[in-house]
Amino acid sequence: MNNDSRRSRDLQELTSRKTPSPLARLALGLGAAACLWLAPQGALAQGRLDAQYEATLAGIPVGKGTWTIEIGDDMFAATAQGGTAGLLKAFSGGSGSGASVGRIVNGVLAPNAYTATTTTQKKSETIRMSLVNGGVKEFSIDPAPPVDAERIPVTDAHRKGVLDPMTGSILRVPGNAEVLSPDSCRTGAGIFDGRMRYDLKLDYKRMETVRAERGYHGPALVCAIYFTPVAGYIPDRPVIKYLATERRIEVTLVPIAGTRVLVPFRMTIPTPLGLAMLEATSFVTTATPPRVAKTN
């Protein structure tokens, strides 16, 4: 069996499961792929991102999607849509979407509501969350998943001091120093995605230059990502053990014009099937100055 045939077989096995595998979710959920910390301090200028991404596994296209972020004077909104493509689509067509909206309070992005929907040939699932003061007020999964006694319970304490995955995909750099600096990587966050609570720690790796087919061409900040599951997961799951010990996951960040906000341009995850990568093919940012309050 040649390499392409073996990868085709492995992809078919991954997408035949009742629940989308983590690799399938990479192709379906663009907004939740790279979860970073939102740091406080300072005011935000207005800015907008319109981006298109492609997901590949071992160099084989498996998904495409779009991501839009709008930052206003006192509010923000982020939406993402994606779907399987290429070889993966031939085995299991699917799509996903996500959205987060909230306010900007003293320079901090404070999410109010988050929604994510994943649809495959076998099932559709929608997660909804409302958040207040950095904690989850209410959340639901429709349809409700079956109870699994092996899953570590998520307590009320686990849902405090967390971000939703969509808001967590945006890194707000504090202060007035250079945005693309090693210190911007040295941070971490708690994330709750409606099912699992986990921690992510970032660390600086290197600087490089990136170029999209359309839009951004310039410097980028590459950070390592370290994943630690906390609750809402089954400890014996091989994928959880793999991600918790993998030290080569990277996210490449670039700025939204006119702001101190960094967002993922590329994300890479080594897997037993080859390198999984999510990369922007189009990355267009625009900026407008913040509004000036009228005076009498």
Side-chain angles (χ1 to χ4, degrees):
M1 182 182 294
N2 61 33
N3 289 337
D4 288 342
S5 298
R6 186 177 295 108
R7 289 167 183 165
S8 298
R9 180 202 63 191
D10 292 340
L11 283 173
Q12 187 172 16
E13 291 176 355
L14 284 169
T15 55
S16 64
R17 300 172 181 172
K18 292 182 180 180
T19 302
S21 71
L23 295 179
R25 287 175 181 172
L26 174 66
L28 301 179
L30 294 175
C35 300
L36 309 173
W37 176 245
L38 295 175
Q41 301 179 16
L44 290 170
Q46 293 175 320
R48 178 183 173 96
L49 168 67
D50 292 284
Q52 298 177 2
Y53 291 81
E54 181 178 71
T56 58
L57 177 60
I60 301 172
V62 294
K64 291 184 178 180
T66 62
W67 195 13
T68 300
I69 300 173
E70 292 187 84
I71 299 172
D73 292 329
D74 56 6
M75 59 76 64
F76 75 95
T79 60
Q81 295 182 339
T84 54
L87 185 62
L88 188 61
K89 187 174 183 179
F91 292 128
S92 176
S95 62
S97 62
S100 181
V101 296
R103 300 178 59 209
I104 300 174
V105 181
N106 296 325
V108 181
L109 276 69
N112 295 330
Y114 167 79
T115 304
T117 298
T118 302
T119 301
T120 68
Q121 293 177 347
K122 296 182 180 294
K123 65 178 292 184
S124 180
E125 178 182 89
T126 298
I127 295 174
R128 296 182 177 88
M129 282 195 287
S130 62
L131 301 97
V132 177
N133 298 326
V136 177
K137 180 181 179 181
E138 297 177 334
F139 74 99
S140 65
I141 303 177
D142 185 23
V147 176
D148 193 324
E150 296 181 1
R151 191 178 298 276
I152 296 177
V154 177
T155 67
D156 289 341
H158 290 142
R159 293 189 287 268
K160 295 179 180 179
V162 296
L163 299 172
D164 68 82
M166 180 67 73
T167 306
S169 298
I170 308 167
L171 176 64
R172 160 73 173 133
V173 180
N176 299 311
E178 173 61 41
V179 173
L180 292 172
S181 71
D183 285 342
S184 297
C185 281
R186 298 181 179 119
T187 185
I191 306 292
F192 180 65
D193 63 8
R195 179 180 278 106
M196 184 167 67
R197 164 71 166 82
Y198 52 95
D199 289 341
L200 294 172
K201 180 181 177 182
L202 276 67
D203 201 0
Y204 174 73
K205 292 201 75 172
R206 64 185 181 275
M207 296 293 300
E208 65 181 37
T209 300
V210 298
R211 179 194 291 270
E213 295 175 8
R214 178 171 179 264
Y216 188 83
H217 174 209
L221 181 66
V222 181
C223 307
I225 300 180
Y226 305 120
F227 167 84
T228 302
V230 176
Y233 68 99
I234 299 174
D236 288 339
R237 286 279 172 86
V239 68
I240 295 294
K241 294 180 178 180
Y242 179 83
L243 291 175
T245 57
E246 179 57 59
R247 316 318 274 172
R248 297 169 295 168
I249 303 174
E250 294 183 357
V251 61
T252 302
L253 304 171
V254 298
I256 294 180
T259 75
R260 297 188 62 80
V261 168
L262 299 175
V263 294
F265 182 91
R266 180 194 305 122
M267 183 176 181
T268 58
I269 305 175
T271 81
L273 300 181
L275 187 67
M277 182 165 65
L278 184 71
E279 185 171 28
T281 55
S282 175
F283 197 96
V284 179
T285 70
T286 55
T288 57
R291 289 181 311 204
V292 178
K294 294 182 179 180
T295 57
N296 293 328

